[in-house]
């Protein structure tokens, strides 16, 4: 049951013995939490009691301390609520403050990155270069932000109140550094270096050069190769997995597994069909490795083909199709990967002439 006071207790209060005893009793459980020595419940007011009331008001009530507990007011309500409630509220408050601090940090970095991007464009620094620099700038900004927040907290400022101003201060300081660092970057005369990632090892250099050049044309947009050079076991395994589906993929004149349609490979076709029907993958793979005309199986076997991620921009796909043969494998290649297929079957346009580049979408 909540305790009630008949009059005020503490600095400038009436300090009736019964009321003082109530306050002493209610304050004692907070001694360790707030940081004062426990009191004897003797009903005697003192400077120490007034100081403890003030500390309680600052730490728990979160308002300007006056060192007095008044009947029915916030201080007595908080005392009656108890330590567990105070701890719960403190934890919730800390969580809110932490969230406010981190939200402001993220807003700061988003704003800072946009400003950095704008400055990079103004200085004609390509994304591939300034984005690398951004990692270092971001770490430095985090360090500055944490230092300033810690300093503000030592002064008694809540992060939620201090963070916006600190964010602006950090952004201003860091952008000064950004401008200096961007000026140090040597672009080598290339505004947007090409970026090609993924399974590029062993792929025809001209194909990689075309991919890189087209990537550069589209402001260094990354082109991801999901399938490049394949070995015999990998290709045979992929063929087994997609055997029935791909045999009929393009009809009689199709390109997928076209070699088995030739009269001289009819026996091989039947043998592979039998292994597939029997669900004998090991036999299928061995048969392929031993008997397949590998030069005719797939241009992937010699690195003369690449499969590009379906997430690639349509403009890039169209531009690449102007330089290499293109087949849409959006329902899956022989490995079951949805992709865009490019190879050199009809030749490669390299180097890419300016007249063709002007036709890129």
């Amino acid at each position: 049951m909540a305790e009630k006071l008949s009059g005020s207790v503490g600095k400038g209060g009436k300090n009736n013995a019964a009321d003082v005893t109530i306050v002493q009793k209610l304050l004692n459980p907070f001694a360790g939490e707030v940081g004062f020595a426990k009191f004897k419940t003797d009903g005697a007011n003192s400077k120490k009691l007034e100081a403890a009331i003030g500390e309680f008001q600052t730490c728990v009530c979160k308002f300007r301390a006056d060192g007095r507990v008044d009947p029915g007011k916030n201080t007595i309500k908080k005392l009656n609520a108890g330590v567990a409630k105070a701890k719960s509220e403190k934890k919730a408050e800390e969580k809110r403050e932490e969230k406010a601090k981190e939200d402001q940090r993220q807003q700061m970095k988003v704003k800072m990155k946009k400003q950095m991007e704008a400055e990079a464009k103004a200085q004609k620094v390509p994304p591939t270069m300034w984005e690398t620099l951004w990692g270092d700038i971001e770490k430095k900004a985090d360090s500055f932000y944490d230092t300033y927040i810690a300093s503000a907290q030592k002064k008694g400022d809540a992060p939620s109140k201090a963070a916006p101003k600190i964010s602006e201060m950090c952004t201003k300081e860091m952008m000064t550094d950004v401008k200096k660092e961007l000026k140090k970057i040597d672009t080598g005369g290339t505004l947007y270096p090409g970026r090609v990632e993924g399974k590029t090892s062993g792929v025809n250099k001209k194909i990689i050069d075309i991919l890189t050049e087209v990537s550069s044309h589209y402001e260094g947009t990354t082109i991801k190769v999901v399938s490049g050079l394949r070995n015999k076991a990998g290709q045979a395994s992929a063929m087994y997995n997609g055997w029935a589906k791909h045999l009929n993929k393009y009809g009689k004149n199709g390109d997928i597994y076209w070699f088995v349609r030739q009269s001289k490979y009819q026996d091989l076709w039947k043998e592979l069909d039998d292994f597939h029907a029997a669900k004998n993958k090991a036999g299928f793979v061995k048969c392929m490795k031993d008997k397949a005309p590998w030069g005719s199986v797939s241009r992937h076997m010699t690195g003369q083909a690449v499969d590009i991620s379906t997430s690639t921009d349509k403009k890039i796909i169209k531009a690449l199709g102007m330089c290499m043969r293109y087949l849409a494998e959006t329902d899956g290649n022989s490995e079951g990967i949805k992709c865009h297929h490019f190879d050199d079957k009809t030749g490669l346009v390299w180097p890419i002439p300016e007249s063709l580049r002007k036709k890129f979408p």
Side-chain angles (χ1 to χ4, degrees):
M1 184 176 177
E3 299 282 4
K4 293 184 179 180
L5 301 179
S6 62
S8 55
V9 173
K11 190 174 182 180
K14 293 182 179 180
N15 293 312
N16 295 325
D19 290 331
V20 173
T21 300
I22 290 172
V23 171
Q24 289 172 328
K25 184 177 70 173
L26 293 176
L27 269 177
N28 279 339
F30 290 92
E33 186 72 16
V34 176
F36 55 81
K38 288 187 177 183
F39 296 95
K40 291 181 180 180
T41 51
D42 56 8
N45 184 42
S46 64
K47 293 292 183 182
K48 288 185 178 180
L49 181 62
E50 291 173 2
I53 292 171
E55 290 170 13
F56 176 83
Q57 290 171 326
T58 299
C59 297
V60 179
C61 300
K62 302 293 182 183
F63 58 68
R64 189 173 181 178
D66 60 11
R68 188 176 69 243
V69 184
D70 294 310
K73 296 295 180 70
N74 193 41
T75 305
I76 188 64
K77 289 179 181 178
K78 290 287 186 180
L79 283 167
N80 273 313
V83 175
K85 178 70 172 176
K87 285 183 177 180
S88 176
E89 289 179 350
K90 182 181 179 181
K91 189 174 182 179
E93 177 65 18
E94 288 173 347
K95 192 173 181 180
R96 285 193 296 272
E97 287 295 324
E98 183 65 21
K99 184 178 185 304
K101 182 184 76 173
E102 292 307 314
D103 286 349
Q104 191 63 50
R105 184 201 300 273
Q106 292 308 313
Q107 290 174 30
M108 173 191 74
K109 290 199 282 190
V110 168
K111 182 178 179 180
M112 195 181 295
K113 192 171 185 180
K114 285 183 179 179
Q115 289 185 17
M116 185 173 179
E117 182 177 10
E119 183 63 29
K121 284 184 178 180
Q123 294 191 31
K124 295 185 178 180
V125 176
T128 50
M129 292 183 175
W130 74 257
E131 285 174 359
T132 300
L133 176 61
W134 166 247
D136 294 333
I137 294 296
E138 185 179 23
K139 288 178 183 177
K140 195 172 181 180
D142 276 332
S143 178
F144 277 9
Y145 185 80
D146 288 335
T147 299
Y148 288 138
I149 286 289
S151 178
Q153 286 179 302
K154 283 183 180 180
K155 294 176 182 177
D157 296 333
S160 57
K161 292 183 179 180
K165 186 176 180 180
I166 289 173
S167 171
E168 289 296 325
M169 187 165 55
C170 285
T171 300
K172 187 176 180 179
E173 286 187 27
M174 292 309 303
M175 284 310 299
T176 300
D177 283 355
V178 164
K179 291 176 182 179
K180 291 178 181 178
E181 292 300 320
L182 287 174
K183 287 179 180 178
K184 296 178 184 178
I185 294 177
D186 179 10
T187 63
T190 302
L191 185 56
Y192 296 106
R195 300 176 71 179
V196 181
E197 298 178 354
K199 299 180 179 180
T200 59
S201 179
V203 175
N204 182 310
K205 185 178 183 301
K206 286 186 179 180
I207 291 179
I208 296 299
D209 287 342
I210 290 171
L211 296 176
T212 304
E213 187 78 7
V214 171
S215 166
S216 176
H217 180 83
Y218 290 97
E219 300 186 349
T221 300
T222 299
I223 295 177
K224 185 176 182 181
V225 177
V226 295
S227 184
L229 179 67
R230 299 175 189 161
N231 59 32
K232 290 182 180 181
Q235 180 65 34
S237 178
M239 289 178 68
Y240 175 86
N241 294 335
W243 185 247
K245 175 182 176 182
H246 287 89
L247 273 174
N248 300 313
K249 187 166 185 180
Y250 295 113
K252 292 181 179 179
N253 299 316
D255 292 293
I256 299 292
Y257 310 161
W258 66 273
F259 69 92
V260 295
R261 297 190 181 91
Q262 299 177 63
S263 57
K264 60 182 176 180
Y265 296 124
Q266 293 300 297
D267 290 343
L268 174 59
W269 186 350
K270 185 179 185 308
E271 194 172 353
L272 291 172
D273 252 346
D274 289 343
F275 279 124
H276 191 269
K279 297 182 179 180
N280 185 348
K281 186 173 183 178
F284 184 101
V285 171
K286 187 176 187 307
C287 180
M288 276 291 297
K289 288 174 71 174
D290 293 343
K291 301 179 180 180
W294 286 103
S296 303
V297 172
S298 170
R299 304 189 90 76
H300 280 285
M301 298 300 300
T302 53
Q304 306 303 311
V306 288
D307 292 338
I308 305 300
S309 170
T310 52
S311 64
T312 307
D313 189 281
K314 291 180 180 179
K315 290 182 180 179
I316 291 177
I317 296 301
K318 191 170 182 179
L320 290 173
M322 297 166 73
C323 304
M324 299 180 279
R325 186 180 73 143
Y326 168 57
L327 293 173
E329 298 280 6
T330 51
D331 60 343
N333 62 8
S334 59
E335 293 176 309
I337 302 171
K338 294 181 179 181
C339 60
H340 298 284
H341 174 92
F342 295 91
D343 62 41
D344 68 346
K345 187 173 183 179
T346 56
L348 300 172
V349 180
W350 181 259
I352 302 172
E354 188 61 29
S355 58
L356 181 60
R357 192 192 307 275
K358 289 180 179 179
K359 295 178 182 178
F360 285 175

